[in-house]
Amino acid sequence: MQRTFILLKPDCVQRRLMGQIITRFEQKGLNFVAMKMLRITPDLAKQHYAEHVEKGWYPTLEGFITGGPVMAAVVEGLEAVKVVRDMLGATSGLNAVPGTIRGDFSSSRQMNLVHGSDSPEAAVREIALYFEESEMCEDTPTISKWMLAADE
Ligand code: CDP
Ligand code: MG
């Protein structure tokens, strides 16, 4: 099992899409192991998006991501990092194919509703930015035997 970090961005919260997005991840078979609402500070935004801080568009990204409450979550599953990224689709909602979250709900390059870690290393780093290990609600749902074969 692999963990990845998900952030439902301020546009997702404001547009009342949290439920639909969470439902998609649940339907896919991912297990939610942690979840909380918070308001991202400029300092946390710079840590989260460290790779983009020097980009010309970073200030508008920081304004967006700090502009309202977000929902941070950790989900777990086989190849969770890749599975979540595939479910999100391309960065811009204009390029994301229909069927993906961004493809179905966004027409924006910035307001693309959901963040997902882009590698297992990024997932470890991002989970630690937002959560303590003690906040992880590890569990093996009893339905698991109907979601995956024993040898998968
Ligand atoms: O989120 P993802 O990994 O697909 O994209 P990214 O290239 O790592 O960019 C991080 C986030 O910055 C995006 O999800 C957009 O919300 C935002 N962004 C932006 O505001 N302007 C851009 N030109 C590119 C990305
Ligand atoms: Mg990225």
Side-chain angles (χ1 to χ4, degrees), residues 49 51-52 85 91 115-116 118:
Y49 285 121
E51 63 177 322
H52 297 313
R85 290 287 291 192
T91 301
H115 165 85
D118 65 7

Side-chain angles (χ1 to χ4, degrees), residues 5-75:
F5 176 73
I6 288 171
L7 188 73
L8 305 189
K9 300 182 186 188
D11 54 334
C12 185
V13 177
Q14 298 297 327
R15 290 176 57 193
R16 273 54 183 160
L17 290 172
M18 286 195 295
Q20 290 191 59
I21 303 298
I22 290 167
T23 294
R24 286 192 179 213
F25 292 129
E26 288 189 316
Q27 288 174 331
K28 182 68 178 171
L30 292 158
N31 296 329
F32 277 81
V33 296
M35 187 184 270
K36 67 180 164 195
M37 301 279 308
L38 71 148
R39 186 78 181 246
I40 295 181
T41 61
D43 182 55
L44 179 56
K46 289 181 184 75
Q47 293 184 65
H48 179 135
Y49 285 121
E51 63 177 322
H52 297 313
V53 167
E54 301 302 326
K55 306 231 168 93
W57 45 266
Y58 176 76
T60 68
L61 171 59
E62 185 177 293
F64 164 55
I65 210 73
T66 63
V70 298
M71 163 85 82
V74 178
V75 297

Side-chain angles (χ1 to χ4, degrees), residues 103-118:
D104 285 353
F105 294 108
S106 167
S107 296
S108 167
R109 187 174 59 191
Q110 178 171 86
M111 299 194 178
N112 55 12
L113 298 162
V114 188
H115 165 85
S117 307
D118 65 7

